[in-house]
Amino acid sequence: MINSSASSQDAAVAIAGARAGAEVVRNMYGRRLNRIDKGAGDFATAADVEAEKAILGVIRAARPDDGVLGEEGGQQGAADAVRQWLVDPLCGTLNYAVGNMLVAVNVALREGAAAVADPFNGEVFFTDGETAWRRREGADDALLTPTSATGLVDVNLDPPFPSAPGFRAVELLAHPGFAERFRPRVVSTTLALAWVAAGKRAAYVTDGGDLSSSVHFAAGIALCRAAGCVVTGIDGAPVGEAGRGLVAAADEETHGLLMSMTRSRR
């Protein structure tokens, strides 16, 4: 359980922010929401915007001197603030817009505490940067313990694909060894990263650039690291400025298998 003073306070802010955003997402679910075009086929809804406002309200009240990078509002507060929060108020907007409840609310302090809320399952997965837990119905009832027992690997198939043709996620699914060991899932939300940390998925794979500072991925990466998962880029390099994409695996064996499959396709 979280008990160090500074980290526990940051975790409490992350949890409160994620829960505030999740409440908005739940309350606005099922309404006819106009789409706000963001280009390249991407869009937001009023639920994204309102959930981010609720999260920012929590952070500003508790940490007025911190900066915030929001998916919808961009950089807010001092750009050179020592501490910065990364906020994705509704990860899985397309799912949400068509009535699918597979979405997440992500709140992360860069290099610190983080929380991922599942608005419709009543779960909040969180970390103080050291350990990771699940909170359900107000109680911290489970230390997150990754395991590959399910054999389920979530693969992000949404564009863009910056590493193609060297790496194509769809080709990983076609690898004969993948079908022998794993079963694919595509939920199109980074809630799947929280599931890797919690043992509900064996791994998560996505293409991309440096995802460590992404509002979409920062909270999930923090959870996986704190839970003891193996987290690298798709080329096996550390996630960071030089990294490409993300592989978060429950254990070394699963990570090694996925690495061997991606390398054999190059």
Side-chain angles (χ1 to χ4, degrees):
M1 195 76 65
I2 294 176
N3 49 30
S4 67
S5 178
S7 59
S8 67
Q9 292 172 10
D10 286 335
V13 174
I15 293 167
R19 292 182 67 183
E23 182 176 5
V24 172
V25 169
R26 281 194 306 274
N27 290 341
M28 297 187 74
Y29 179 75
R31 299 184 190 178
R32 178 172 292 183
L33 302 173
N34 292 331
R35 298 188 179 192
I36 304 164
D37 184 26
K38 298 167 71 171
D42 193 13
F43 66 91
T45 70
D48 298 70
V49 175
E50 293 304 316
E52 183 165 302
K53 288 180 181 177
I55 296 166
L56 291 178
V58 171
I59 295 173
R60 285 171 178 156
R63 299 288 187 268
D65 296 327
D66 290 359
V68 178
L69 178 63
E71 165 69 5
E72 308 309 330
Q75 181 66 50
Q76 301 184 50
D80 59 350
V82 174
R83 291 159 46 98
Q84 185 181 54
W85 294 84
L86 304 170
V87 174
D88 183 359
L90 178 48
C91 184
T93 299
L94 180 55
N95 286 349
Y96 186 80
V98 299
N100 188 315
M101 293 182 178
L102 285 172
V103 300
V105 177
N106 298 318
V107 179
L109 175 63
R110 192 187 295 271
E111 304 299 328
V116 176
D118 180 340
F120 298 103
N121 199 33
E123 294 177 319
V124 180
F125 306 91
F126 68 94
T127 177
D128 60 350
E130 299 292 335
T131 59
W133 290 79
R134 179 184 69 178
R135 177 168 294 183
R136 188 175 177 85
E137 297 179 353
D140 303 340
D141 64 349
L143 180 70
L144 299 191
T145 305
T147 172
S148 60
T150 65
L152 301 177
V153 174
D154 210 290
V155 181
N156 180 20
L157 298 179
D158 290 337
F161 308 116
S163 299
F167 170 81
R168 298 182 193 272
V170 68
E171 292 178 350
L172 172 63
L173 301 182
H175 192 289
F178 188 94
E180 290 176 4
R181 181 63 184 266
F182 304 114
R183 290 293 179 270
R185 291 294 182 272
V186 181
V187 301
S188 297
T189 168
T190 54
L191 181 61
L193 274 171
W195 291 346
V196 176
K200 298 181 179 184
R201 291 287 191 269
Y204 175 87
V205 181
T206 184
D207 196 357
D210 173 13
L211 302 181
S212 63
S213 299
S214 165
V215 295
H216 305 291
F217 292 93
I221 290 173
L223 283 175
C224 286
R225 284 175 168 163
C229 301
V230 181
V231 181
T232 71
I234 55 175
D235 54 0
V239 176
E241 292 183 4
R244 291 190 302 124
L246 177 67
V247 177
D251 50 43
E252 292 282 359
E253 180 184 6
T254 300
H255 183 269
L257 285 169
L258 291 170
M259 286 292 96
S260 67
M261 292 173 198
T262 59
R263 288 166 180 157
S264 71
R265 302 297 299 186
R266 295 174 190 172

